[in-house]
Amino acid sequence: MPTCQKQTICYNSDIIHYYYKNKAFTLAEVLITLGIIGIVAALTLPSVITKYQKKQTVAQLKVVYSILNQAVARSIVDNGELEYWDWVNVEAGSPRFTVFAEKYILPYINGVQKNSDYTMLWKRLDGIYDDYGSYKNTRVQYKLANGTLLSFYGIYYPAEDLGNRHKTCLSVFVDLNGYKKPNRAGRDVFLFTLFPYASDAGNNFMAGYYEHCSSGILHYRLTREQLLQDGYCATCNKNYSGMGYGCAALIQKDGWEIKDDYPW
């Protein structure tokens, strides 16, 4: 038999001799190692998945936010300054806010498809089906090219109602992944609102709505602590109470980031 150096392959009478410097692992050692790897993966994988989902949600939210505000900017070129649009026809409780959106916003977004399915689908932050923001027969849905669903809602206060004038608005419910679950405010459903008579809104869709349970303050004007506070209609806290309409405002206020105290 020829002499071979370790870690080389020698040939003799069609028999291959392997020489290894180190001893092979036993079956028990392999199983123990695999078990440890499995435990570590089980502990870390959910965190990794959640982190990815949060980043993906924020990225999609920013895209829709940009699309909406680019549409407003283009509409202003054709239809004049925001405050002079025909806001009386955005009155709540009628399909007029849909007509309003189809005149001033949707023509300035590429690839919009009008849907005809009015299934009640959305849930509030607390998990209850949302009678206010759900898909209803008066809430026509519009599908963007990226799969996002839009559904509009509007409300109008006359000029003489100075106390509520700032709450005149066109709101849009945004479902980032369409009909896919969870269809829940703060997770894949968010709210942006156009306030024509809010001087600090800058002719932009603003994150959130207005606090319609008590103060009437616009969500984007609330502090982070108020947005996280239990009991507000704007609430976006870990107790999952309330509607969760202020969650987009919280994400934006946190520098477009979903932080650890966000109700994920």
Side-chain angles (χ1 to χ4, degrees):
M1 180 179 295
T3 302
C4 299
Q5 298 297 322
K6 293 181 179 180
Q7 296 181 333
T8 63
I9 301 176
C10 301
Y11 300 87
N12 185 22
S13 303
D14 297 327
I15 298 176
I16 303 175
H17 300 278
Y18 292 89
Y19 294 84
Y20 296 97
K21 184 177 182 179
N22 299 315
K23 182 181 177 181
F25 290 109
T26 66
L27 178 60
E29 290 172 331
V30 171
L31 292 176
I32 290 172
T33 302
L34 291 176
I36 293 173
I37 293 173
I39 292 172
V40 172
L43 293 174
T44 59
L45 192 57
S47 176
V48 172
I49 292 174
T50 298
K51 186 175 181 179
Y52 169 78
Q53 290 175 334
K54 288 181 177 180
K55 287 185 175 295
Q56 185 182 44
T57 296
V58 171
Q60 291 176 298
L61 197 61
K62 290 175 70 175
V63 168
V64 175
Y65 178 71
S66 177
I67 289 173
L68 290 171
N69 281 322
Q70 288 178 30
V72 173
R74 288 194 286 265
S75 183
I76 288 175
V77 173
D78 288 346
N79 299 298
E81 291 299 318
L82 193 66
E83 62 181 300
Y84 300 115
W85 292 2
D86 190 16
W87 287 99
V88 69
N89 282 324
V90 78
E91 182 178 353
S94 76
R96 284 192 286 178
F97 50 75
T98 297
V99 175
F100 185 92
E102 289 181 352
K103 175 181 179 180
Y104 289 106
I105 303 298
L106 292 167
Y108 302 94
I109 301 177
N110 295 328
V112 176
Q113 293 181 349
K114 190 173 182 178
N115 288 1
S116 58
D117 183 7
Y118 306 119
T119 304
M120 181 175 285
L121 188 64
W122 287 339
K123 292 181 179 179
R124 307 185 331 183
L125 186 68
D126 56 16
I128 299 173
Y129 276 102
D130 189 355
D131 290 336
Y132 177 79
S134 296
Y135 297 130
K136 296 182 179 181
N137 56 3
T138 57
R139 306 284 177 85
V140 181
Q141 303 157 42
Y142 303 90
K143 186 177 181 179
L144 302 187
N146 63 5
T148 299
L149 285 178
L150 306 181
S151 182
F152 291 89
Y153 178 81
I155 193 165
Y156 172 76
Y157 290 93
E160 58 269 20
D161 189 354
L162 296 177
N164 288 314
R165 181 68 163 166
H166 68 291
K167 294 190 291 188
T168 294
C169 63
L170 177 71
S171 295
V172 54
F173 290 88
V174 173
D175 192 328
L176 297 177
N177 59 359
Y179 295 109
K180 296 178 182 178
K181 294 182 179 180
N183 294 320
R184 183 171 178 168
R187 283 295 301 272
D188 57 346
V189 176
F190 297 90
L191 190 62
F192 293 100
T193 307
L194 200 59
F195 297 103
Y197 305 118
S199 58
D200 57 344
N203 292 334
N204 291 314
F205 271 99
M206 304 300 287
Y209 189 53
Y210 67 81
E211 214 292 291
H212 57 284
C213 286
S214 55
S215 66
I217 190 171
L218 309 186
H219 284 174
Y220 68 89
R221 292 176 177 173
L222 291 172
T223 66
R224 186 177 194 276
E225 290 69 28
Q226 288 173 318
L227 288 168
L228 286 166
Q229 184 177 336
D230 189 14
Y232 273 83
C233 285
T235 189
C236 194
N237 63 64
K238 289 187 175 181
N239 293 327
Y240 295 102
S241 62
M243 297 180 179
Y245 294 164
C247 287
L250 178 59
I251 292 174
Q252 187 180 47
K253 198 172 289 289
D254 283 337
W256 293 104
E257 181 182 353
I258 296 178
K259 295 194 173 182
D260 292 339
D261 56 354
Y262 184 90
W264 188 256

